[in-house]
Amino acid sequence: MSYLTEFAPGAGRLRPRAFFASDAPALGLDGVWRFRLAGSAAEVTPGFETDDFDDRGWGELPVPAHWQMHGHGAPAYTNVRYPFPLDPPHVPDENPTGEYRREFTLPNGWPEGPAVLRFEGVDSCFAVWLNGRRLGWSTGSRLPAEFEVGGVLRPGRNVLAVRVHQWSPGSYLEDQDMWWLSGIFRSVTLLARPADGIADFFVHAGYDHRTGAGTLRVETGDGVRLTVPELGLADVPADEEHVLPRVEPWSAETPRLYEGVLSAEGERVPVRIGFRTVTVEDGVLKVNGRRVLFRGVNRHEWHPDHGRAVPPETMRRDLLLMKRHNVNAVRTSHYPPHPAFLDLCDELGLWVVDECDLETHGFQRLGWRGNPSDDPRWRDAFLDRMRRMVERDKNHPSVVMWSLGNEAGTGGNLAAMAAWTRERDPGRPVHYEGDRACSYVDVYSRMYASHEEVDLIGRRADEDDGAGDGTDDGGARRRTLPFVLCEYAHAMGTGPGGLTEYQRLFEAHERCQGGFVWEWIDHGIRRTGPDGAEWFAYGGDFGEPLHDGNFVADGLLFPDRVPSPGLAEYKKVVEPVRIGVADGRIEIVNGHDFAGTGHLEFRWSVEEEGVAVAGGRLDVPVLAPGERVEVAPPEVPAGKAETWLTVRAVLAADLPWADAGHEVAWGQGLLSPAPPPPARRPGPVTGKDGLLRVGPAVFEERTGRLLRLGGLPVDAPRLDLWRAPTDNDHGLHGRGTPDEALWRRLGLHRLRHRLVDVAVEDDALRVRTRVAPAATDLAVLADFRWWGDGDGLVLEVRAEPVGDWDCPLPRLGVRTAVPAALSHVEWYGGGPGEAYPDMCRAARVGRFAATVDELQTPYVRPQENGNRTGVRWARFTAPDGTGLRIDGAPAFELTARRWTTEDLDAARHTHELRPRDRVYLHLDAAHHGLGSASCGPGVLPEHRLTAGPRSLTLTFTPYRSAP
């Protein structure tokens, strides 16, 4: 097995070519294979490739699949660090090796002559035999490999044997922040290849935005003919240029595809043609003459049960979710996806940055010493990976940029990849984030640049030309290029915050052409506990000696593909139509790059305290891209309560990715505020037997502690400053000292309370406390003033910090608890999902209802979650009709859960959270923002909760309603 020590990428393979279907015979070889896992390459089975080998004692494994996802070995997750010694090209002797066998019978009528055995993806290295004859071997896990087998096939029974190694020299090029998983995880197919068929082709379909004309040429073999009925092309030479006076161009917003057929003597190949031209002009990336703005996501292939063996129906589901959440672009981090995914992008409409299967990030820990990117011995492997991606995916109009890979440093091998790509396909720009000098790329790409830096980049004032010594570090060239954030807004845990501020910069600066949120989905692996509770595993849960914890759970979808609040926020922030409702005006702006608003209709509704009282359709003219219009609001009578006007843009008819009525964008404006509450005189405070009665409540006279509210036992409210730190609070890869470290160093997670004074003043009970952590003189003085108001109990809290606080506060409010039976919640305020100061654009004012359990957000690692913002009132009701209403004056932040903050802080997985016999309420005046410091910038200054005087007024009213 000398290939386990070779720099070469493979042997015995055919030249790479496009992926396509045809009318030539094909035989799918997916299904159940015989399988055995050896502990190392030295422990493989002699003769396993022979026809007469007896494999009846072996187990079985589906193909496509990863063997670790089926109980053979275990998954392992690392972000940067290689899980083996850096000794290229060598790998450890402990190298799990899977042996596969598959018998198949050629169908009747299978033609004699050339045939190809195609593997779409095998991780990380494999050798293959057919009928005992060795065909070759290959590396490049997420890339196809083909072998000629026409002379080896035989009628009747055929035996295919494949040996797959977990580690190989190719593993040094695949350090891609994901689970290390092995096996034949994409399809295997046998393809008849007619001698007079179509070996390969390259569709060149350009669009002239000035004239509307299209040019079409298909680079292929002699004698191939092309038919495209819609274009009036019938059996014309494919490789001649055809000028078409008028075509409909392809874009992510208007994905127009023309169906055609390539014909040769022995084969017919269906083709889908999208006319579009990609250019970089005057420092701006354009498609069809127009600037594009990427509202993108990074997408790893992932399924919680199958790993990277993602079923086709799941791919389609992902794309539908993207389109329905206003995502228009995908970076295929950090490898080419399954080819079916690109077919769907062509069909449904998404811009694609197609990324090569290349990353050497772990060498960064050595100061890039020995990095393969600048080692000539690796050049063939680097170029091989780029060729195989470009040749496979070259016919997809959705692919608008080629990416050399990710986090592989710099070096001559990357430059060679770029040069080859430009020569092969000059019609697409080249991307690579690691080339800060931009010496071999066509766009300036960055990860996690701060808002301030993005603003500087947008104004082309970001960097000097050099160091003042006559050198040039590329700053001058950088400023001539489009700017893209290939990763930003790290979607790990609660968050990300700061999306709105990024989007404003993208829209303000022509050069800043958007970015790709990291990332689409949490890579959790589904597990079930002994009690049947489902949870998702992350790094370290499989006993890995080296791992990066839950850093693999950083997506806009949870592992089971339930959208997170972050995805709802992203949809709102990047919505392609802006609807402003304010000061009696409605302004609508079409932010699409290509599409008009003819596919939308606009609906309005008026709600009084969350209850709809009027509605209808709004007459809005069709807007071209970039156009805006102001329309008159509907005439409605003045409301008797707080009244809001909501305008929604919805699909007017069914589209391939959503049904009519699907909401694309919305705006909301206040028509009339809530009337002031009637003035009431506080009821008297009375005392007896060491107890005080204030309105419907009973307090302990000595301590001022609330005991009962109506007939409800409650936990006495206390000032609360702590939240279970989020992944962004941890600041795992952020800048400076993480917020959590500041908070724990100060001791905000272990506050102590000292009663200062209890007094009855002016028909009110006043309780003053000093709240402080140990070992410091910093504190917060809390003044609780209680009085009765009719059937309700009013609490006014004033908080005053003492000392020089040099860190933000996690939250500021009161914490209490009520009986667990009060499990149904209705509220009027922001919703329906969670929101925080820098992640609240998706929260609209309305009336919502949920159970306490439904208010929780099941982040893979438990943390602060579930806050509802701007709550005017909330009602908690038990099945028997017992309830408690809480009103704000004017509003408060609400969190309700069946476990404590301390429980959240201690849990590593969701199934470790055990409901208690209480519902714990957090009623806050303010919250600290979220940011995305788990990998990006922290909380922006305007969203930081600085220590200062704060007040909060709440009214508690117990009630009894019909169950």
Side-chain angles (χ1 to χ4, degrees):
M1 300 179 194
S2 62
Y3 56 79
L4 289 180
T5 58
E6 292 189 22
F7 291 96
R13 302 172 306 175
L14 295 171
R15 293 181 60 182
R17 64 191 182 110
F19 176 86
F20 60 88
S22 80
D23 63 353
L27 179 64
L29 298 177
D30 294 351
V32 177
W33 292 42
R34 290 289 188 179
F35 178 77
R36 173 184 177 268
L37 183 64
S40 72
E43 300 172 25
V44 296
T45 308
F48 93 112
E49 72 278 8
T50 60
D51 289 5
D52 57 356
F53 179 81
D54 185 357
D55 60 15
R56 286 176 295 178
W58 284 19
E60 294 182 335
L61 188 71
V63 169
H66 299 283
W67 66 59
Q68 292 92 343
M69 302 297 285
H70 290 265
H72 303 280
Y77 166 62
T78 61
N79 171 25
V80 176
R81 299 172 292 180
Y82 288 95
F84 49 80
L86 272 68
D87 182 25
H90 306 287
V91 295
D93 293 339
E94 300 88 356
N95 187 3
T97 297
E99 296 178 312
Y100 294 78
R101 283 174 54 89
R102 171 76 150 87
E103 296 185 10
F104 64 92
T105 302
L106 283 184
N108 292 333
W110 185 271
E112 295 184 0
V116 166
L117 182 63
R118 183 178 180 95
F119 292 83
E120 293 297 339
V122 183
D123 195 326
S124 71
C125 172
F126 70 103
V128 57
W129 293 259
L130 181 61
N131 296 329
R133 183 183 299 182
R134 177 167 165 156
L135 304 176
W137 62 275
S138 185
T139 59
S141 298
R142 270 66 64 176
L143 294 161
E146 291 187 333
F147 302 88
E148 169 57 44
V149 296
V152 187
L153 287 171
R154 61 197 180 195
R157 177 177 176 265
N158 289 263
V159 179
L160 178 60
V162 183
R163 180 173 286 147
V164 181
H165 306 280
Q166 179 164 354
W167 309 123
S168 71
S171 301
Y172 284 98
L173 309 185
E174 297 175 1
D175 185 28
Q176 291 147 321
D177 184 13
M178 60 187 183
W179 293 98
W180 295 90
L181 296 170
S182 316
I184 306 173
F185 74 99
R186 288 184 184 162
S187 291
V188 182
T189 310
L190 180 66
L191 303 165
R193 299 303 311 135
D196 51 0
I198 299 172
D200 193 11
F201 63 92
F202 191 171
V203 175
H204 301 275
Y207 178 73
D208 188 334
H209 66 279
R210 294 159 296 189
T211 66
T215 57
L216 176 60
R217 179 176 67 89
V218 182
E219 180 184 327
T220 187
D222 294 337
V224 177
R225 313 292 288 183
L226 172 66
T227 298
V228 188
E230 284 187 278
L231 298 175
L233 299 176
D235 199 35
V236 299
D239 57 1
E240 292 183 5
E241 185 172 276
H242 304 280
V243 179
L244 306 155
R246 181 69 59 181
V247 297
E248 298 175 52
W250 188 98
S251 75
E253 295 168 5
T254 55
R256 179 64 160 97
L257 293 172
Y258 290 87
E259 304 287 339
V261 176
L262 291 170
S263 302
E265 188 68 26
E267 188 174 23
R268 289 169 57 87
V269 175
V271 292
R272 298 198 301 182
I273 300 162
F275 290 90
R276 58 109 186 92
T277 298
V278 186
T279 58
V280 175
E281 301 175 24
D282 301 321
V284 177
L285 178 69
K286 296 182 178 180
V287 178
N288 299 337
R290 298 187 65 88
R291 171 187 184 258
V292 295
L293 182 59
F294 294 125
R295 300 168 167 91
V297 294
N298 285 276
R299 176 189 177 267
H300 269 286
E301 294 184 310
W302 187 252
H303 190 285
D305 304 313
H306 308 302
R308 287 185 287 279
V310 180
E313 60 273 15
T314 303
M315 298 180 207
R316 176 173 284 274
R317 181 181 173 190
D318 277 354
L319 277 168
L320 294 178
L321 278 171
M322 290 179 191
K323 295 289 289 188
R324 292 168 186 171
H325 286 85
N326 296 329
V327 171
N328 74 354
V330 174
R331 174 179 174 231
T332 68
S333 52
H334 295 295
Y335 43 82
H338 191 288
F341 180 80
L342 297 179
D343 288 337
L344 290 168
C345 290
D346 294 342
E347 172 192 333
L348 296 172
L350 277 98
W351 309 117
V352 175
V353 178
D354 202 359
E355 191 147 277
C356 191
D357 191 11
L358 174 65
E359 182 168 338
T360 65
H361 202 173
F363 282 89
Q364 184 182 41
R365 296 175 62 85
L366 305 181
W368 295 111
R369 184 175 65 254
N371 183 22
S373 295
D374 206 30
D375 184 337
R377 295 175 297 174
W378 290 99
R379 182 154 302 178
D380 286 348
F382 275 60
L383 287 169
D384 175 75
R385 288 171 182 248
M386 198 70 191
R387 288 191 190 104
R388 286 156 70 190
M389 176 183 73
V390 171
E391 297 294 357
R392 190 197 75 168
D393 298 342
K394 61 198 173 194
N395 294 319
H396 290 282
S398 57
V399 176
V400 292
M401 278 199 284
W402 300 116
S403 178
L404 304 180
N406 184 67
E407 293 176 322
T410 58
N413 296 337
L414 291 161
M417 293 168 70
W420 179 89
T421 303
R422 285 198 183 89
E423 182 178 357
R424 180 66 176 118
D425 182 21
R428 291 179 175 98
V430 173
H431 166 276
Y432 176 65
E433 180 270 341
D435 181 17
R436 291 293 297 276
C438 296
S439 59
Y440 40 79
V441 298
D442 302 304
V443 297
Y444 177 27
S445 178
R446 289 285 302 282
M447 295 181 181
Y448 307 106
S450 68
H451 301 80
E452 181 181 15
E453 187 177 3
V454 171
D455 186 40
L456 289 172
I457 291 170
R459 292 189 280 112
R460 303 183 190 274
D462 48 308
E463 294 171 275
D464 295 331
D465 291 344
D469 57 1
T471 63
D472 185 348
D473 69 349
R477 172 165 168 75
R478 278 194 295 273
R479 286 194 291 275
T480 68
L481 299 179
F483 175 71
V484 172
L485 275 170
C486 67
E487 294 180 22
Y488 83 113
H490 199 247
M492 186 177 181
T494 314
L499 286 170
T500 297
E501 291 78 9
Y502 272 121
Q503 193 67 19
R504 288 172 183 161
L505 292 169
F506 300 156
E507 294 174 1
H509 298 301
E510 184 182 45
R511 180 193 188 193
C512 296
Q513 298 195 237
F516 299 81
V517 169
W518 187 270
E519 66 169 301
W520 177 239
I521 189 168
D522 289 342
H523 301 203
I525 295 177
R526 195 189 315 267
R527 287 290 179 265
T528 303
D531 60 354
E534 185 178 280
W535 56 284
F536 295 99
Y538 50 76
D541 287 332
F542 297 94
E544 312 100 295
L546 192 70
H547 66 84
D548 286 293
N550 70 313
F551 202 68
V552 77
D554 48 11
L556 294 168
L557 296 184
F558 297 119
D560 56 2
R561 285 183 157 74
V562 172
S564 75
L567 183 56
E569 180 76 0
Y570 194 46
K571 175 184 179 179
K572 175 60 180 169
V573 167
V574 302
E575 58 190 10
V577 175
R578 299 282 189 229
I579 304 173
V581 183
D583 302 323
R585 298 181 302 133
I586 300 174
E587 182 183 61
I588 299 173
V589 181
N590 182 9
H592 287 97
D593 296 325
F594 297 89
T597 58
H599 64 297
L600 301 173
E601 70 177 32
F602 294 83
R603 300 176 182 174
W604 63 271
S605 62
V606 172
E607 299 92 22
E608 290 186 8
E609 204 170 290
V611 177
V613 295
R617 294 186 179 180
L618 196 64
D619 187 13
V620 179
V622 174
L623 303 177
E627 284 191 335
R628 66 182 63 215
V629 69
E630 187 175 306
V631 296
E635 294 185 8
V636 295
K640 299 178 181 178
E642 182 176 282
T643 305
W644 290 79
L645 170 63
T646 304
V647 178
R648 304 164 59 237
V650 303
L651 294 183
D654 293 349
L655 289 179
W657 49 271
D659 293 338
H662 167 77
E663 182 180 277
V664 173
W666 61 273
Q668 195 174 51
L670 182 65
L671 293 182
S672 57
R680 294 185 179 179
R681 178 178 176 81
V685 177
T686 60
K688 183 179 180 181
D689 298 330
L691 301 176
L692 296 175
R693 180 169 292 278
V694 183
V698 175
F699 292 79
E700 187 176 68
E701 183 176 19
R702 181 180 61 84
T703 63
R705 184 165 61 94
L706 177 63
L707 301 175
R708 292 191 304 277
L709 186 53
L712 295 172
V714 297
D715 288 7
R718 306 179 80 182
L719 189 73
D720 192 23
L721 307 179
W722 180 244
R723 73 184 185 196
T726 68
D727 289 316
N728 290 310
D729 293 336
H730 284 305
L732 302 175
H733 288 68
R735 300 151 171 84
T737 304
D739 285 336
E740 183 198 10
L742 295 173
W743 297 339
R744 289 194 189 275
R745 185 185 307 162
L746 186 57
L748 296 184
H749 59 303
R750 46 177 173 78
L751 294 174
R752 296 293 180 261
H753 299 253
R754 179 174 65 83
L755 180 62
V756 175
D757 183 42
V758 177
V760 176
E761 302 174 355
D762 300 325
D763 291 330
L765 173 64
R766 185 177 183 186
V767 181
R768 289 183 292 178
T769 60
R770 186 179 190 274
V771 180
T776 178
D777 59 354
L778 298 179
V780 176
L781 296 179
D783 191 336
F784 284 57
R785 187 167 177 268
W786 302 91
W787 69 90
D789 183 5
D791 295 331
L793 173 70
V794 180
L795 167 62
E796 182 184 68
V797 182
R798 296 185 182 276
E800 182 78 33
V802 175
D804 185 14
W805 290 76
D806 60 357
C807 72
L809 301 177
R811 68 175 353 128
L812 194 148
V814 295
R815 166 178 170 172
T816 185
V818 296
L822 300 181
S823 58
H824 183 270
V825 190
E826 182 183 12
W827 76 96
Y828 172 54
E834 74 180 24
Y836 292 85
D838 55 353
M839 194 189 79
C840 59
R841 289 289 302 278
R844 67 187 81 190
V845 177
R847 188 179 295 214
F848 307 98
T851 66
V852 168
D853 289 337
E854 290 168 344
L855 293 177
Q856 313 312 305
T857 305
Y859 294 109
V860 171
R861 185 191 70 81
Q863 56 199 274
E864 164 63 37
N865 73 89
N867 184 67
R868 266 58 180 183
T869 191
V871 175
R872 280 71 164 162
W873 55 256
R875 288 197 289 252
F876 294 82
T877 308
D880 66 359
T882 301
L884 175 66
R885 173 170 170 143
I886 306 173
D887 288 80
F892 59 98
E893 308 288 291
L894 170 66
T895 307
R897 52 177 69 110
R898 294 197 293 158
W899 35 75
T900 67
T901 299
E902 292 72 23
D903 294 336
L904 269 179
D905 199 359
R908 293 183 64 248
H909 299 93
T910 53
H911 70 292
E912 298 168 12
L913 293 169
R914 301 297 181 183
R916 294 176 180 258
D917 63 352
R918 313 288 279 162
V919 171
Y920 295 89
L921 304 180
H922 293 268
L923 314 170
D924 294 310
H927 252 283
H928 186 54
L930 300 172
S932 63
S934 52
C935 197
V939 178
L940 288 167
E942 59 267 36
H943 302 305
R944 293 172 68 85
L945 179 53
T946 56
R950 299 271 179 171
S951 63
L952 174 68
T953 301
L954 304 166
T955 300
F956 302 86
T957 307
Y959 63 86
R960 176 89 181 180
S961 61

